[in-house]
Each structure stands twice: as structure tokens, then as C-alpha cells.
Amino acid sequence: MALDRSVFPSIIKAHVEMASKDHPAWNRRRSMYRCDPWEDNQSTATQVLAPDSDLRTETGALYAYVDTMIASIVPPNPQVTCRARREILKLAAMYRAALINDTFQRLNAETVLWRGATHASVYPRSIIKAVWSRKKGRPDFLVIDPRNFFFDMEASRWEDIRYAIEVTVLTEAEFYARVPSVKKRNATGRVYDANVAKKVQFGSYPAWLKDPKTGRAELNEKSRSVFKWCVIFEVYDFTVPGGRYFHYSEGATEPLFEGDLPYVFVPNPFWLVKFNDNLEDEGGLSDAEIVENPVLRRDELLSLELRHAQSTIPIPVVNEEDLDNPDQFLQQFATATGPGDVIRAKLKNGKNIDDVLGKTPTTQLPLSFASMDQKLDQEIMFRLGMPQYTRGVAGQSAIATEL
């Protein structure tokens, strides 16, 4: 059943509301991959330590897994071989293989596959878009940030989706370049409806597309504040014969642009990559979500252990009752920094240095800390299916065949 274009504003609004709820968790898992400690207000470590404390630590387990996994599944030099089923097509198959491999080399396929696989592991899914590059005169493939892409979640298979929506953010100048004062097409081949374009509101970069927890986001925010922005939703409708293509601005009920799909022979230029099934829809399940709880708990445990280690460093204690001139002794004691320094101390009769100097008592870390750390580490490895020896740790194995 074909979709009426009047329903797309409601669909866009529903997806934006869902993204506002999902993106904070996605951003947290991306920080886990980047080994960037994430402030968790529910954790004991956050309550003990200041949010910006240098004692906060993390394990980097997610990065280790993703790095190992991608190195195993992404070939360093992707190649294909085309085999002809009939002898008459043998030469054509050789030429086709040469064309594909040449295209792989030109577009640096390894980088595209590496980035796409990383997204599919950190996020629930990865989106790869096929485009025609006029500048290069050949097809090109882009890895789309899955946070900027919506699709029909009710479809049971990717090829059955009814629509796809790509989110793009334009500056005011970029937007008005698509609303020419004279009737001629701009470089993108699109002309926005001038009457609809007048209703578009420009402002700061949309909050639901930001990552407010990282220093890089703060740097981006400074550069973004120079411009005025608007959000454009590029809608691909696959329900009508031949498909339709729309551009909507945020909150608009009428499309800025309506036309045919960009490519005749590739109606859906997007390809979905997912490594785990969430058993509900085609959205996928990220490896980061699977191990998020034990990774964060282990980070919390290590932060508390580091805080405990710092708090148990002995602090000198001076008994002033056994000194004739305590102030002079304390000044010399505080400024002595090397083995060649001398401290002059005048003790009272019958007293020695042990009566003057002491230290605060220290406590031992409970054995349960080490046990819990080992259990969490094993749980992370178990969930990811990642033997420790893949990162160069052989464990207790005695012979190579056991590994």
C-alpha cells in the first residue's frame, strides 16, 4: 500500500522522539569504545570521586574487542573473483572482476569496510550508502552515522522496508543555495519550493544530534555556534512504483522538494549491516550494549581501587612534644626532597627520632576486589566470545595445540 506524503511529517516526528531517547545510550557506548570515561551518576565511583577526577579509570575492553574482531573479518586488500557458468562468458567475467577490484582500490574499500564494521559493533547497526560521485566519475560508498538515519522498523526484511530517512544538517547559506532566485537547478539538481522555504527556522545545532559528554563535542560546538543551522530529512518512499523522493524541514508539513528517486537502477542506495539480532526488528543489537553493564561495573571497581590505593599512602606524623623547636623541624622536613638533604632536629632528653616521627596506619584492600575484578573480566570475555590469547595473553595454557 502506497504511503501518502502527508504521513511523513508524523513519521519523522516519531523517529526524532525515539532518537532523543536512544542517542544518549549510543553516545555512552561510543565513549566506551573511545576509552573515554563516562560520568555515571548512579555509580559509587562517581559519588566518591569528583566528575573530573584524574583517578577515574576504564578498561578499554570494548576497543580491544572491536579492534581484534575487525582485524579478523575485514581483509586488508578486498578482492573478488567472478566465475562464469558458461564458457562463452568467461572473458566477460574476467573483465567484470577487474572492474570491481579496480573500483575497490579506487574507493579504498578497506577503510569503508573497517568503519562500517566498527559502527555495527559499537552501535546497533551500520548504514552504508552508495552514491554516484560526479567529481570522481564513478560510484562511491559512504558510511552514514546510524544516529542520522531512520527506516521502517516494522519490516521483517531489509528489502521490504517501505521508507528510509537520512538526516542532514545544513547551514543557512547551504540551504538558500537550494532556493535560487531564478528557475534553474543548483549543483545538487534540486530546487526547493520558495513558499515552503520561507517557513524554515534556523538556529543552533540540533540538541538531539549532539554528544554533550565529550571534549570533542565542546570543540565542535564552538565552531558550530558560528553558523545558523536547519535540519533536512531526506525521505525515500519505496511504496509507489518507481519510488518517490522528498525533502522535509524539521516541523514542516509540506515538502521542500518532491521528485523521483536519485537512482533508477538502485532504488534503495542504503545497505544495512548488523552483527547481532535483537529479536524484535531489523534495528540490530550492538556488542557494546551486550557488555555495557560488566564493563561499567569493572571501570567503577578499578576507580574505587585506585582511590583506595591513593588514600592508603602513609602520611608522616610529627610528635611536637618531643622537639625543642617544632616549627624549624617541620620547615626543614617539608623542604627536604633528596637523599643529600640534611634535617637538623633537636630532641628533648631521652628521646630518639622514632619518638618524633610516625606514619598513619594503612588498610589492606579486601580480597573480594580481586575476585570481583576477575569475574567481571571473564564475563566480558565470555559475552564477546573473545579468548584472551587473541590479544597476546596465553593464560594458563601449557601447549600451543591447547590454544
Side-chain angles (χ1 to χ4, degrees):
M1 179 179 177
L3 294 174
D4 189 89
R5 75 177 192 178
S6 61
V7 305
F8 284 118
S10 299
I11 293 175
I12 292 172
K13 181 180 179 181
H15 278 291
V16 171
E17 291 176 353
M18 184 186 303
S20 300
K21 298 178 181 178
D22 292 341
H23 286 185
W26 291 19
N27 293 336
R28 182 174 64 249
R29 291 158 195 158
R30 183 177 67 167
S31 291
M32 291 168 53
Y33 166 77
R34 290 164 49 176
C35 303
D36 183 14
W38 187 272
E39 180 184 349
D40 182 4
N41 294 327
Q42 303 299 323
S43 72
T44 305
T46 302
Q47 299 170 12
V48 174
L49 305 174
D52 57 349
S53 172
D54 292 337
L55 295 179
R56 297 182 66 85
T57 185
E58 45 78 32
T59 59
L62 184 62
Y63 174 82
Y65 166 73
V66 174
D67 180 62
T68 301
M69 180 267 295
I70 295 179
S72 301
I73 67 175
V74 176
N77 184 24
Q79 297 280 325
V80 300
T81 300
C82 297
R83 298 184 181 276
R85 294 187 176 182
R86 291 182 294 173
E87 186 66 25
I88 193 175
L89 298 176
K90 187 175 181 179
L91 186 60
M94 292 176 55
Y95 287 145
R96 180 163 299 184
L99 174 62
I100 295 174
N101 291 331
D102 180 70
T103 303
F104 280 178
Q105 183 178 9
R106 291 176 182 271
L107 60 84
N108 198 4
E110 179 191 1
T111 301
V112 176
L113 295 175
W114 191 288
R115 186 173 180 83
T118 301
H119 278 193
S121 187
V122 176
Y123 300 117
R125 53 189 171 270
S126 174
I127 304 296
I128 299 178
K129 181 181 181 181
V131 299
W132 176 261
S133 175
R134 296 182 180 180
K135 180 180 179 180
K136 301 175 181 177
R138 59 171 173 80
D140 203 357
F141 294 87
L142 308 175
V143 180
I144 304 299
D145 191 331
R147 297 175 300 174
N148 299 351
F149 184 82
F150 311 137
F151 66 95
D152 180 16
M153 303 293 285
E154 300 300 323
S156 58
R157 298 182 303 177
W158 176 252
E159 55 265 31
D160 296 333
I161 63 173
R162 293 171 292 179
Y163 63 85
I165 304 173
E166 183 181 359
V167 182
T168 58
V169 185
L170 303 179
T171 64
E172 190 174 16
E174 291 172 337
F175 176 83
Y176 281 114
R178 301 182 180 184
V179 191
S181 57
V182 295
K183 282 292 182 180
K184 64 178 182 179
R185 295 185 179 274
N186 65 337
T188 63
R190 308 185 187 98
V191 175
Y192 283 172
D193 189 307
N195 294 325
V196 180
K198 294 179 181 178
K199 304 176 183 179
V200 176
Q201 299 293 326
F202 296 89
S204 58
Y205 200 85
W208 60 278
L209 290 176
K210 295 179 182 178
D211 182 3
K213 293 290 186 178
T214 64
R216 186 170 301 175
E218 295 177 0
L219 178 62
N220 292 339
E221 182 62 24
K222 292 180 180 179
S223 61
R224 289 169 178 168
S225 63
V226 178
F227 304 98
K228 293 183 179 180
W229 304 87
C230 70
V231 181
I232 301 299
F233 300 91
E234 301 181 10
V235 180
Y236 297 73
D237 181 6
F238 307 123
T239 60
V240 298
R244 297 298 288 170
Y245 184 50
F246 305 91
H247 279 209
Y248 286 88
S249 63
E250 191 170 19
T253 57
E254 292 294 326
L256 289 160
F257 170 83
E258 179 180 358
D260 297 329
L261 291 175
Y263 307 112
V264 176
F265 299 106
V266 187
N268 184 357
F270 304 99
W271 186 254
L272 173 72
V273 179
K274 61 178 182 178
F275 291 152
N276 305 295
D277 196 337
N278 63 21
L279 303 182
E280 292 183 3
D281 50 46
E282 284 293 285
L285 178 66
S286 69
D287 295 312
E289 184 176 358
I290 294 174
V291 299
E292 180 177 16
N293 184 268
V295 167
L296 291 180
R297 297 291 75 81
R298 190 175 186 221
D299 292 349
E300 176 185 355
L301 190 70
L302 292 177
S303 297
L304 292 174
E305 184 177 4
L306 186 60
R307 176 69 179 89
H308 176 271
Q310 187 192 54
S311 65
T312 56
I313 296 176
I315 299 176
V317 178
V318 178
N319 182 7
E320 296 183 354
E321 296 294 333
D322 296 333
L323 289 170
D324 283 341
N325 193 341
D327 293 337
Q328 182 183 6
F329 176 81
L330 291 175
Q331 183 180 4
Q332 295 182 68
F333 187 80
T335 57
T337 58
D341 294 337
V342 176
I343 298 176
R344 300 177 61 184
K346 189 175 182 180
L347 308 181
K348 292 186 177 181
N349 294 332
K351 302 298 181 180
N352 56 45
I353 194 63
D354 292 333
D355 298 325
V356 175
L357 288 178
K359 60 182 179 180
T360 56
T362 59
T363 58
Q364 297 295 323
L365 189 69
L367 295 178
S368 58
F369 264 68
S371 175
M372 185 58 66
D373 177 61
Q374 184 179 8
K375 289 179 181 178
L376 289 172
D377 182 51
Q378 292 175 350
E379 179 65 18
I380 294 170
M381 297 297 177
F382 174 76
R383 293 189 184 190
L384 294 177
M386 176 179 155
Q388 288 189 349
Y389 59 80
T390 61
R391 298 292 296 183
V393 180
Q396 302 298 322
S397 301
I399 56 176
T401 53
E402 184 178 347
L403 301 177

Tab-separated table of all heavy atoms in Angstrom, residues 1-34:
chain	number	residue	atom	x	y	z
A	1	MET	N	0.847	-1.195	0.000
A	1	MET	CA	0.000	0.000	0.000
A	1	MET	C	0.883	1.247	0.000
A	1	MET	O	1.797	1.363	0.812
A	1	MET	CB	-0.924	0.007	1.220
A	1	MET	CG	-1.816	1.225	1.294
A	1	MET	SD	-2.911	1.169	2.737
A	1	MET	CE	-3.725	2.755	2.555
A	2	ALA	N	0.596	2.155	-0.929
A	2	ALA	CA	1.407	3.356	-1.042
A	2	ALA	C	1.157	4.291	0.138
A	2	ALA	O	0.030	4.422	0.632
A	2	ALA	CB	1.097	4.069	-2.358
A	3	LEU	N	2.205	4.955	0.564
A	3	LEU	CA	2.102	5.924	1.647
A	3	LEU	C	1.801	7.298	1.073
A	3	LEU	O	2.381	7.702	0.066
A	3	LEU	CB	3.411	5.982	2.442
A	3	LEU	CG	3.793	4.726	3.226
A	3	LEU	CD1	5.176	4.905	3.832
A	3	LEU	CD2	2.778	4.441	4.319
A	4	ASP	N	0.896	8.011	1.735
A	4	ASP	CA	0.616	9.383	1.343
A	4	ASP	C	1.686	10.289	1.920
A	4	ASP	O	2.138	10.093	3.045
A	4	ASP	CB	-0.768	9.804	1.838
A	4	ASP	CG	-1.187	11.145	1.270
A	4	ASP	OD1	-1.798	11.169	0.192
A	4	ASP	OD2	-0.880	12.162	1.925
A	5	ARG	N	2.079	11.285	1.158
A	5	ARG	CA	3.165	12.150	1.625
A	5	ARG	C	2.796	12.918	2.887
A	5	ARG	O	3.671	13.408	3.607
A	5	ARG	CB	3.576	13.114	0.530
A	5	ARG	CG	2.607	14.261	0.287
A	5	ARG	CD	3.147	15.186	-0.779
A	5	ARG	NE	2.398	16.454	-0.839
A	5	ARG	CZ	2.681	17.451	-1.657
A	5	ARG	NH1	3.694	17.330	-2.496
A	5	ARG	NH2	1.971	18.557	-1.646
A	6	SER	N	1.496	13.029	3.183
A	6	SER	CA	1.063	13.761	4.373
A	6	SER	C	1.413	13.024	5.670
A	6	SER	O	1.397	13.635	6.745
A	6	SER	CB	-0.448	14.013	4.317
A	6	SER	OG	-1.166	12.788	4.289
A	7	VAL	N	1.740	11.716	5.580
A	7	VAL	CA	2.047	10.958	6.796
A	7	VAL	C	3.518	11.076	7.184
A	7	VAL	O	3.873	10.763	8.329
A	7	VAL	CB	1.683	9.461	6.626
A	7	VAL	CG1	0.237	9.294	6.212
A	7	VAL	CG2	2.602	8.779	5.613
A	8	PHE	N	4.363	11.538	6.283
A	8	PHE	CA	5.795	11.568	6.578
A	8	PHE	C	6.167	12.540	7.697
A	8	PHE	O	7.052	12.232	8.505
A	8	PHE	CB	6.589	11.869	5.304
A	8	PHE	CG	6.684	10.691	4.373
A	8	PHE	CD1	6.144	10.749	3.103
A	8	PHE	CD2	7.302	9.517	4.773
A	8	PHE	CE1	6.213	9.660	2.250
A	8	PHE	CE2	7.390	8.422	3.933
A	8	PHE	CZ	6.835	8.494	2.659
A	9	PRO	N	5.536	13.722	7.816
A	9	PRO	CA	5.870	14.568	8.975
A	9	PRO	C	5.624	13.873	10.314
A	9	PRO	O	6.429	14.025	11.246
A	9	PRO	CB	4.954	15.790	8.791
A	9	PRO	CG	4.748	15.872	7.317
A	9	PRO	CD	4.684	14.450	6.851
A	10	SER	N	4.542	13.096	10.411
A	10	SER	CA	4.274	12.359	11.653
A	10	SER	C	5.295	11.254	11.866
A	10	SER	O	5.743	11.006	12.991
A	10	SER	CB	2.862	11.771	11.613
A	10	SER	OG	1.890	12.789	11.508
A	11	ILE	N	5.692	10.576	10.785
A	11	ILE	CA	6.711	9.529	10.885
A	11	ILE	C	8.039	10.123	11.330
A	11	ILE	O	8.728	9.576	12.204
A	11	ILE	CB	6.857	8.802	9.535
A	11	ILE	CG1	5.582	8.005	9.210
A	11	ILE	CG2	8.068	7.876	9.547
A	11	ILE	CD1	5.603	7.348	7.840
A	12	ILE	N	8.412	11.259	10.747
A	12	ILE	CA	9.669	11.926	11.119
A	12	ILE	C	9.648	12.320	12.588
A	12	ILE	O	10.623	12.109	13.328
A	12	ILE	CB	9.908	13.150	10.218
A	12	ILE	CG1	10.197	12.711	8.783
A	12	ILE	CG2	11.047	14.007	10.766
A	12	ILE	CD1	10.263	13.852	7.787
A	13	LYS	N	8.541	12.888	13.047
A	13	LYS	CA	8.422	13.312	14.444
A	13	LYS	C	8.577	12.124	15.388
A	13	LYS	O	9.259	12.211	16.421
A	13	LYS	CB	7.080	13.996	14.667
A	13	LYS	CG	6.879	14.496	16.088
A	13	LYS	CD	5.522	15.175	16.248
A	13	LYS	CE	5.315	15.646	17.689
A	13	LYS	NZ	3.987	16.294	17.864
A	14	ALA	N	7.961	10.988	15.041
A	14	ALA	CA	8.063	9.787	15.885
A	14	ALA	C	9.507	9.292	15.956
A	14	ALA	O	9.991	8.899	17.031
A	14	ALA	CB	7.143	8.698	15.354
A	15	HIS	N	10.215	9.312	14.837
A	15	HIS	CA	11.608	8.856	14.823
A	15	HIS	C	12.515	9.800	15.618
A	15	HIS	O	13.442	9.341	16.298
A	15	HIS	CB	12.106	8.735	13.385
A	15	HIS	CG	11.709	7.454	12.714
A	15	HIS	ND1	12.214	6.223	13.079
A	15	HIS	CD2	10.846	7.210	11.681
A	15	HIS	CE1	11.705	5.278	12.303
A	15	HIS	NE2	10.867	5.848	11.447
A	16	VAL	N	12.273	11.104	15.526
A	16	VAL	CA	13.083	12.064	16.279
A	16	VAL	C	12.883	11.865	17.775
A	16	VAL	O	13.836	11.917	18.563
A	16	VAL	CB	12.738	13.503	15.858
A	16	VAL	CG1	13.405	14.512	16.790
A	16	VAL	CG2	13.180	13.757	14.424
A	17	GLU	N	11.643	11.628	18.194
A	17	GLU	CA	11.372	11.377	19.618
A	17	GLU	C	12.066	10.102	20.082
A	17	GLU	O	12.628	10.053	21.187
A	17	GLU	CB	9.869	11.273	19.839
A	17	GLU	CG	9.125	12.602	19.647
A	17	GLU	CD	7.620	12.454	19.786
A	17	GLU	OE1	7.156	11.295	19.896
A	17	GLU	OE2	6.919	13.487	19.784
A	18	MET	N	12.058	9.067	19.247
A	18	MET	CA	12.742	7.828	19.593
A	18	MET	C	14.253	8.047	19.657
A	18	MET	O	14.930	7.540	20.558
A	18	MET	CB	12.422	6.735	18.566
A	18	MET	CG	13.008	5.370	18.889
A	18	MET	SD	12.732	4.170	17.557
A	18	MET	CE	10.940	4.235	17.422
A	19	ALA	N	14.788	8.834	18.719
A	19	ALA	CA	16.225	9.110	18.701
A	19	ALA	C	16.658	9.887	19.938
A	19	ALA	O	17.750	9.661	20.478
A	19	ALA	CB	16.593	9.877	17.438
A	20	SER	N	15.827	10.797	20.411
A	20	SER	CA	16.161	11.581	21.604
A	20	SER	C	16.319	10.685	22.823
A	20	SER	O	17.073	11.006	23.747
A	20	SER	CB	15.082	12.636	21.859
A	20	SER	OG	14.984	13.525	20.759
A	21	LYS	N	15.621	9.548	22.837
A	21	LYS	CA	15.728	8.596	23.945
A	21	LYS	C	16.893	7.622	23.753
A	21	LYS	O	17.544	7.234	24.719
A	21	LYS	CB	14.417	7.825	24.085
A	21	LYS	CG	13.211	8.701	24.415
A	21	LYS	CD	11.942	7.866	24.479
A	21	LYS	CE	10.725	8.733	24.784
A	21	LYS	NZ	9.462	7.949	24.802
A	22	ASP	N	17.144	7.233	22.503
A	22	ASP	CA	18.165	6.216	22.227
A	22	ASP	C	19.578	6.791	22.152
A	22	ASP	O	20.538	6.137	22.572
A	22	ASP	CB	17.859	5.492	20.911
A	22	ASP	CG	16.609	4.642	20.989
A	22	ASP	OD1	16.185	4.328	22.122
A	22	ASP	OD2	16.054	4.303	19.923
A	23	HIS	N	19.734	7.985	21.648
A	23	HIS	CA	21.065	8.526	21.374
A	23	HIS	C	21.938	8.698	22.610
A	23	HIS	O	23.161	8.485	22.518
A	23	HIS	CB	20.947	9.836	20.608
A	23	HIS	CG	20.548	9.649	19.168
A	23	HIS	ND1	20.480	10.675	18.256
A	23	HIS	CD2	20.202	8.523	18.487
A	23	HIS	CE1	20.107	10.198	17.086
A	23	HIS	NE2	19.928	8.902	17.200
A	24	PRO	N	21.416	9.111	23.788
A	24	PRO	CA	22.306	9.183	24.957
A	24	PRO	C	22.996	7.860	25.267
A	24	PRO	O	24.189	7.843	25.599
A	24	PRO	CB	21.360	9.616	26.090
A	24	PRO	CG	20.285	10.382	25.399
A	24	PRO	CD	20.085	9.685	24.086
A	25	ALA	N	22.271	6.743	25.154
A	25	ALA	CA	22.889	5.433	25.384
A	25	ALA	C	23.886	5.113	24.277
A	25	ALA	O	24.959	4.552	24.540
A	25	ALA	CB	21.812	4.348	25.458
A	26	TRP	N	23.582	5.455	23.039
A	26	TRP	CA	24.523	5.223	21.931
A	26	TRP	C	25.784	6.035	22.132
A	26	TRP	O	26.900	5.536	21.882
A	26	TRP	CB	23.862	5.593	20.599
A	26	TRP	CG	22.752	4.689	20.175
A	26	TRP	CD1	22.043	3.828	20.971
A	26	TRP	CD2	22.212	4.545	18.867
A	26	TRP	NE1	21.094	3.167	20.241
A	26	TRP	CE2	21.173	3.586	18.940
A	26	TRP	CE3	22.490	5.147	17.655
A	26	TRP	CZ2	20.426	3.217	17.826
A	26	TRP	CZ3	21.748	4.779	16.539
A	26	TRP	CH2	20.733	3.827	16.620
A	27	ASN	N	25.641	7.288	22.575
A	27	ASN	CA	26.810	8.136	22.805
A	27	ASN	C	27.680	7.585	23.938
A	27	ASN	O	28.909	7.672	23.893
A	27	ASN	CB	26.360	9.556	23.144
A	27	ASN	CG	25.682	10.238	21.969
A	27	ASN	OD1	25.904	9.882	20.815
A	27	ASN	ND2	24.838	11.219	22.255
A	28	ARG	N	27.034	7.035	24.963
A	28	ARG	CA	27.785	6.447	26.078
A	28	ARG	C	28.613	5.259	25.593
A	28	ARG	O	29.769	5.093	25.997
A	28	ARG	CB	26.816	6.032	27.179
A	28	ARG	CG	27.519	5.440	28.421
A	28	ARG	CD	26.541	5.177	29.544
A	28	ARG	NE	25.547	4.179	29.200
A	28	ARG	CZ	24.261	4.433	29.020
A	28	ARG	NH1	23.811	5.682	29.108
A	28	ARG	NH2	23.401	3.474	28.715
A	29	ARG	N	28.048	4.438	24.745
A	29	ARG	CA	28.779	3.267	24.250
A	29	ARG	C	29.887	3.670	23.286
A	29	ARG	O	30.919	3.003	23.219
A	29	ARG	CB	27.795	2.307	23.571
A	29	ARG	CG	26.849	1.652	24.570
A	29	ARG	CD	25.580	1.149	23.958
A	29	ARG	NE	24.586	0.869	24.991
A	29	ARG	CZ	23.283	0.827	24.770
A	29	ARG	NH1	22.804	1.044	23.552
A	29	ARG	NH2	22.447	0.585	25.773
A	30	ARG	N	29.681	4.747	22.564
A	30	ARG	CA	30.763	5.246	21.720
A	30	ARG	C	31.923	5.732	22.585
A	30	ARG	O	33.094	5.535	22.243
A	30	ARG	CB	30.264	6.379	20.825
A	30	ARG	CG	31.332	6.886	19.866
A	30	ARG	CD	30.817	7.947	18.956
A	30	ARG	NE	30.490	9.173	19.659
A	30	ARG	CZ	30.250	10.332	19.036
A	30	ARG	NH1	30.299	10.398	17.731
A	30	ARG	NH2	29.954	11.399	19.740
A	31	SER	N	31.615	6.363	23.720
A	31	SER	CA	32.670	6.789	24.638
A	31	SER	C	33.408	5.585	25.213
A	31	SER	O	34.613	5.642	25.445
A	31	SER	CB	32.076	7.631	25.769
A	31	SER	OG	31.613	8.869	25.282
A	32	MET	N	32.691	4.488	25.455
A	32	MET	CA	33.335	3.263	25.925
A	32	MET	C	34.353	2.777	24.896
A	32	MET	O	35.460	2.363	25.244
A	32	MET	CB	32.296	2.179	26.191
A	32	MET	CG	31.392	2.443	27.378
A	32	MET	SD	29.979	1.298	27.434
A	32	MET	CE	30.817	-0.283	27.338
A	33	TYR	N	33.987	2.821	23.620
A	33	TYR	CA	34.900	2.383	22.570
A	33	TYR	C	36.119	3.297	22.495
A	33	TYR	O	37.248	2.836	22.291
A	33	TYR	CB	34.168	2.367	21.226
A	33	TYR	CG	35.079	2.247	20.035
A	33	TYR	CD1	35.647	1.017	19.688
A	33	TYR	CD2	35.392	3.357	19.256
A	33	TYR	CE1	36.496	0.905	18.604
A	33	TYR	CE2	36.231	3.256	18.167
A	33	TYR	CZ	36.780	2.026	17.844
A	33	TYR	OH	37.632	1.919	16.755
A	34	ARG	N	35.908	4.591	22.684
A	34	ARG	CA	36.997	5.556	22.601
A	34	ARG	C	37.791	5.647	23.899
A	34	ARG	O	38.665	6.504	24.029
A	34	ARG	CB	36.414	6.931	22.252
A	34	ARG	CG	35.896	7.005	20.839
A	34	ARG	CD	34.997	8.192	20.600
A	34	ARG	NE	35.566	9.444	21.076
A	34	ARG	CZ	34.988	10.627	20.900
A	34	ARG	NH1	33.825	10.702	20.278
A	34	ARG	NH2	35.555	11.724	21.354
